[in-house]
Amino acid sequence: MVRIVSQTRNRLRLSKNKNRSRSKKGLQKKNAQQWDDGRVYITEHNYVTYDEETGKPRHFVFKAEEWPREDLTNENSYDLPRVVFYWDNGTYSSDDLYEQRDKVWSIKTDGTDLRLVADEFDGKVRLMRISPNNRYLALAYSAEEGMFKVIKDLKTDEYTELGRSRGYPEFLWAEDSSYLYYVDQFKDWKYTLSSGEKQKVETKFNEYSTIYNGKRYVVNEFGVAVYDEVKDEFLFSVGINPDEDNLQDYEFRKRSISPTGRYVWAETRKRRYLIDMESRTFQSEIKNGNVIGKFEKLDLISKSGNYARSGGAARVFLFELNNQQQLNQYKVWKQIGTGHLAQYSSLYNAFANNGDFVKGGSL
């Protein structure tokens, strides 16, 4: 086991203390001006504008090191579910290699409280999952030396390296955050945080999985399989009946699962599905590119299935769903103003505010 202790935050604190007076004056001066786009500076070099229709902030970050970081001690950051995503905040014309690098960010599901989660690595992000207790970031990124799989402790800034082999990564956190399933060397592993033990396993999981109330829900290519997590035994499955002669039309090309495993969304070449694992039933619709479907873009589903968000992090669709988990109303806005990549969203802190993505029950 290799542990890497980040010094970035200490360096940032020293820099901020040294320049606090100058930055505060610069911030006040900029916010005293009347900007045509209505910008509000959050730090000396970074600002937000607000969408006239939705009131949602659009973030322009030119100096990421200035931006507020994920802070486990800030209770106000965790009063709603949150979304973690990767973003290279630098623009095509930027000559600052740090700004152009992939970094991990997070934001509330209502589009507020953008935070910088991790920037101490240099590589292309492939997958990330934050633990149910919000403390640990499981991160996979590719670099010249291989595909790194690491855990960042968001309380101490300490990194633990799990592996660096090539191959597609997979992560699944334990319900109590005590262990992590992951893939390395094309094999499945279980890492126990308290002991640092790595154990090779035959457990079925993937990135479209969740563990809740002792059951492991795994969304595969044609349905959902449920396992007893303690015994690692198959319990039951729910899915569609594919045409054996035309499997490509039935395979789930996009998938998502709610935090409790009850609701599963999937999209094939021609159809979309919403599966209710409690009733073991599913609804479906034929895709129509001319209109937004009742099950379109449900990449992140709330605990109770009454809200959803699209998976893109630059342009966001926020959906309110009816009691059948069908589209009722939605808002759309541009969340990111700088940079050109912002994606790979996943949900965490999923049970805050009873799992609802907004406060007050209205978009």
Side-chain angles (χ1 to χ4, degrees), residues 8 28 33 37 41 57 76 93 116 127 141 146 153 163 171 204 228 247 258 299 306 355 362:
T8 300
Q28 292 173 341
Q33 298 180 54
D37 56 5
Y41 276 84
N76 291 332
S93 60
L116 179 59
L127 188 67
Y141 65 92
D153 186 332
F171 290 132
K204 301 294 185 183
D228 184 303
L247 290 178
S258 67
D299 300 279
N306 52 349
S362 175

Side-chain angles (χ1 to χ4, degrees), residues 38-74:
R39 69 181 66 174
V40 176
Y41 276 84
I42 306 302
T43 67
E44 186 179 4
H45 297 94
N46 309 309
Y47 61 89
V48 300
T49 61
Y50 290 88
D51 185 89
E52 291 183 359
E53 292 186 6
T54 65
K56 301 296 185 182
R58 187 180 184 189
H59 301 85
F60 295 79
V61 179
F62 300 95
K63 298 291 183 181
E65 289 185 337
E66 292 180 0
W67 196 264
R69 292 182 170 252
E70 191 88 0
D71 183 0
L72 296 176
T73 67
N74 186 348

Side-chain angles (χ1 to χ4, degrees), residues 3-280:
R3 293 191 181 274
I4 309 168
V5 180
S6 168
Q7 301 298 323
T8 300
R9 182 163 294 181
N10 290 334
R11 174 170 54 83
L12 286 172
R13 285 171 179 164
L14 290 173
S15 176
K16 286 181 179 180
N17 288 335
K18 183 177 180 181
N19 299 304
R20 181 177 298 171
S21 178
R22 179 184 60 82
S23 298
K24 186 176 181 180
K25 290 179 180 179
L27 180 61
Q28 292 173 341
K29 183 177 179 180
K30 288 185 175 181
N31 279 332
Q33 298 180 54
Q34 298 295 319
W35 300 96
D36 291 339
D37 56 5
R39 69 181 66 174
V40 176
Y41 276 84
I42 306 302
T43 67
E44 186 179 4
H45 297 94
N46 309 309
Y47 61 89
V48 300
T49 61
Y50 290 88
D51 185 89
E52 291 183 359
E53 292 186 6
T54 65
K56 301 296 185 182
R58 187 180 184 189
H59 301 85
F60 295 79
V61 179
F62 300 95
K63 298 291 183 181
E65 289 185 337
E66 292 180 0
W67 196 264
R69 292 182 170 252
E70 191 88 0
D71 183 0
L72 296 176
T73 67
N74 186 348
E75 295 182 0
N76 291 332
S77 284
Y78 300 98
D79 59 356
L80 282 174
R82 296 185 65 88
V83 177
V84 62
F85 62 97
Y86 94 78
W87 173 31
D88 62 339
N89 61 288
T91 62
Y92 281 112
S93 60
S94 173
D95 58 359
D96 189 327
L97 296 180
Y98 166 77
E99 303 300 341
Q100 293 178 8
R101 277 171 23 200
D102 285 0
K103 291 172 279 293
V104 180
W105 302 77
S106 74
I107 200 164
K108 290 182 182 180
T109 45
D110 69 350
T112 63
D113 195 46
L114 177 70
R115 298 276 173 164
L116 179 59
V117 180
D119 63 346
E120 303 90 350
F121 61 95
D122 188 2
K124 301 296 294 182
V125 171
R126 300 305 179 192
L127 188 67
M128 60 214 145
R129 293 290 185 271
I130 289 184
S131 61
N133 66 359
N134 301 332
R135 178 169 173 174
Y136 302 100
L137 167 71
L139 170 66
Y141 65 92
S142 60
E144 290 184 3
E145 299 86 349
M147 176 79 74
F148 286 79
K149 293 92 177 180
V150 300
I151 294 175
K152 179 181 179 181
D153 186 332
L154 299 179
K155 183 177 181 179
T156 66
D157 286 343
E158 184 178 67
Y159 275 71
T160 300
E161 184 180 315
L162 303 177
R164 59 173 69 183
S165 74
R166 301 288 181 182
Y168 193 81
E170 306 278 1
F171 290 132
L172 175 60
W173 280 104
E175 187 174 358
D176 64 357
S177 307
S178 63
Y179 57 87
L180 173 74
Y181 293 120
Y182 68 101
V183 174
D184 191 53
Q185 301 172 359
F186 301 99
K187 296 180 176 62
D188 298 334
W189 301 83
K190 177 181 179 181
Y191 175 76
T192 302
L193 276 72
S194 61
S195 65
E197 178 187 6
K198 298 178 185 178
Q199 176 186 1
K200 193 181 299 184
V201 296
E202 300 295 330
T203 304
K204 301 294 185 183
F205 70 94
N206 58 33
E207 64 179 283
Y208 311 104
S209 307
T210 192
I211 300 173
Y212 183 73
N213 275 353
K215 293 184 177 65
R216 182 179 354 112
Y217 299 81
V218 183
V219 189
N220 54 43
E221 289 83 356
F222 301 103
V224 188
V226 183
Y227 301 84
D228 184 303
E229 174 61 14
V230 175
K231 298 178 181 178
D232 199 14
E233 294 178 353
F234 173 77
L235 297 176
F236 66 93
S237 64
V238 177
I240 61 176
N241 296 315
D243 181 351
E244 297 291 340
D245 296 326
N246 200 17
L247 290 178
Q248 67 272 18
D249 284 343
Y250 292 83
E251 182 178 359
F252 293 169
R253 296 188 165 199
K254 296 181 180 179
R255 293 170 266 178
S256 68
I257 187 168
S258 67
T260 66
R262 176 172 177 178
Y263 299 108
V264 171
W265 171 78
E267 184 174 282
T268 69
R269 286 178 59 181
K270 298 180 179 180
R271 305 189 71 91
R272 300 186 188 95
Y273 297 90
L274 196 290
I275 304 173
D276 186 330
M277 295 300 294
E278 185 174 285
S279 62
R280 305 190 188 186

